[in-house]
Amino acid sequence: MPVGFRVIRRSSRPDAALLKGFAALHTADLSDAMNRSGTMDRGIQPVFSPIKRVVGPAVTISAPTGAFNMVKIGMEQTQASDVLAGLVADGAVRDASEIQQDGLPTFARGITTVMGPIDGPGEVNVPIACGGVVVNPGDIIVADADGIVVIRPSEAEEVLVETARLEATHDAVQPILLRGEVTNIAKIERALRDQGCTFVDG
C-alpha cells in the first residue's frame, strides 16, 4: 500500500444517538469543556453567512497538491451526516457563491478563483492536521458561526457531561447579566490584587 496515495474505506461511525447529543451544543461551550483542546484555529471560517450548524463524523482527506480527484473519492466515501474534511478545509475553496446557493455549510481559510490539479497523490480516511488539530476518521466534528471543534468518540460522553454542567452554570447567571450586573467582582478583584494589580481611588 503506497504511503501518501491510498484510499481507506470504512463503515464504522459513532452511534447516531451519541451524535444527537451534540446537535444543539455551541462550539464555544464545547471548547471550554475540553479546556480548548480539539479547537481549530480561527483562520478557518464560514465561507458564507449565516451558516448552518454542522455535527457529524469526519471523513478525512489529505491532498497536499490539492488533487481534485482525491477530494471526489473522499466525497464518495461519505454517508448522510458525515462531515467531509474538504468542507472544513485547511485551505481555500472556490465557487463560494454556488456553495452558498446550494446551502452547503463550508468552512475554509479563504476563497480562490484558481482550480487545483485534477490528478495527484493524496489519502482518504487517514489522520490529518486541520486547523492545528489532529482529526481522525470518525471523530465528531461540530462547526458553527463561532468555530470548529473536534471530539474523539471515546471522550464524547465525558464532553457531553461537562458541557451540560457549563451550560447550567451559564443559565444560572444569565438573569444577573441581563440586569447589567457584573458577577464575581469581589473574587476578580482579589485575583487581580494577588497578581500585583493596584487599585487607586480617584
Side-chain angles (χ1 to χ4, degrees), residues 117-134:
I118 298 295
D119 296 316
E123 296 178 291
V124 175
N125 283 325
V126 296
I128 62 169
C130 187
V133 176
V134 174

Side-chain angles (χ1 to χ4, degrees), residues 70-88:
M70 292 307 299
V71 175
K72 290 179 75 173
I73 286 291
M75 293 170 66
E76 190 268 335
Q77 298 297 308
T78 62
Q79 297 180 8
S81 85
D82 284 355
V83 178
L84 181 67
L87 300 180
V88 177

Side-chain angles (χ1 to χ4, degrees), residues 8-162:
I8 299 173
R9 301 183 189 275
R10 66 179 181 86
S11 57
S12 62
R13 283 162 171 76
D15 183 73
L18 182 62
L19 291 173
K20 189 175 180 180
F22 289 92
L25 299 181
H26 298 287
T27 53
D29 291 336
L30 290 166
S31 177
D32 288 349
M34 297 188 295
N35 295 300
R36 302 180 188 173
S37 70
T39 304
M40 291 192 185
D41 74 60
R42 284 298 292 161
I44 301 179
Q45 299 201 18
V47 169
F48 60 88
S49 182
I51 198 158
K52 295 177 184 176
R53 289 174 48 76
V54 172
V55 178
V59 172
T60 62
I61 300 172
S62 173
T65 65
F68 189 55
N69 280 343
M70 292 307 299
V71 175
K72 290 179 75 173
I73 286 291
M75 293 170 66
E76 190 268 335
Q77 298 297 308
T78 62
Q79 297 180 8
S81 85
D82 284 355
V83 178
L84 181 67
L87 300 180
V88 177
D90 201 337
V93 298
R94 56 178 282 169
D95 303 319
S97 59
E98 293 180 20
I99 291 172
Q100 182 172 10
Q101 184 176 356
D102 293 340
L104 181 66
T106 302
F107 301 77
R109 288 199 181 274
I111 298 169
T112 182
T113 56
V114 179
M115 182 174 178
I118 298 295
D119 296 316
E123 296 178 291
V124 175
N125 283 325
V126 296
I128 62 169
C130 187
V133 176
V134 174
V135 183
N136 293 287
D139 281 353
I140 299 169
I141 308 295
V142 182
D144 59 24
D146 292 330
I148 306 162
V149 294
V150 182
I151 304 108
R152 295 185 185 96
S154 62
E155 298 171 347
E157 293 285 0
E158 179 183 350
V159 172
L160 286 172
V161 170
E162 179 61 19

